[in-house]
Amino acid sequence: MVSKKDKNELRLIRHARVRKKISGTPECPRFCVYRSLKHIYVQVIDDVNGKTLVSASTVDPAVKAQLADLDKKGEAQLVGKIAAERCRKQSSRVQRLK
């Protein structure tokens, strides 16, 4: 009998296949999106230093307040905008430190 692989196991295999080819650097970080049935999670990752530079999700209290009457597409757009704003703040702060 053929056994089916778990959905999470298949997701991890796809993730590993992509990660073989893509790596984030401080100049060009990796943008990672995970979408569950209820929430969406976004991270901007520097793989060279092994650090998450910025993250945003529908679970964050700052984002949760704005999600009142949005559908899933609207939620995804909002999380993306907030992640982009946080990236801009982070990059301007790093520029000032240099």
Side-chain angles (χ1 to χ4, degrees):
M1 180 174 215
V2 177
S3 61
K4 287 180 76 175
K5 291 187 177 181
D6 182 26
K7 284 185 180 183
N8 191 46
E9 188 178 346
L10 292 172
R11 183 187 67 80
L12 292 174
I13 291 170
R14 285 192 304 271
H15 180 75
R17 185 172 57 231
V18 170
R19 290 284 291 119
K20 278 192 285 188
K21 300 174 187 175
I22 296 173
S23 178
T25 62
E27 294 81 29
C28 183
R30 178 168 56 98
F31 187 75
C32 179
V33 178
Y34 176 73
R35 181 140 177 16
S36 71
L37 289 176
K38 290 186 176 184
H39 300 290
I40 187 162
Y41 306 87
V42 172
Q43 291 181 323
V44 178
I45 304 167
D46 173 12
D47 290 317
V48 174
N49 297 321
K51 300 221 176 191
T52 299
L53 304 174
V54 174
S55 68
S57 71
T58 53
V59 182
D60 286 344
V63 179
K64 210 173 208 179
Q66 301 174 18
L67 296 177
D69 56 343
L70 294 176
D71 60 344
K72 290 185 179 184
K73 285 183 187 179
E75 289 178 1
Q77 287 177 346
L78 180 65
V79 170
K81 284 180 184 178
I82 290 174
E85 290 170 6
R86 290 179 182 175
C87 281
R88 283 190 207 110
K89 284 183 186 177
Q90 181 80 7
S91 66
S92 65
R93 188 174 65 133
V94 170
Q95 295 281 337
R96 279 184 271 147
L97 292 175
K98 289 181 180 179

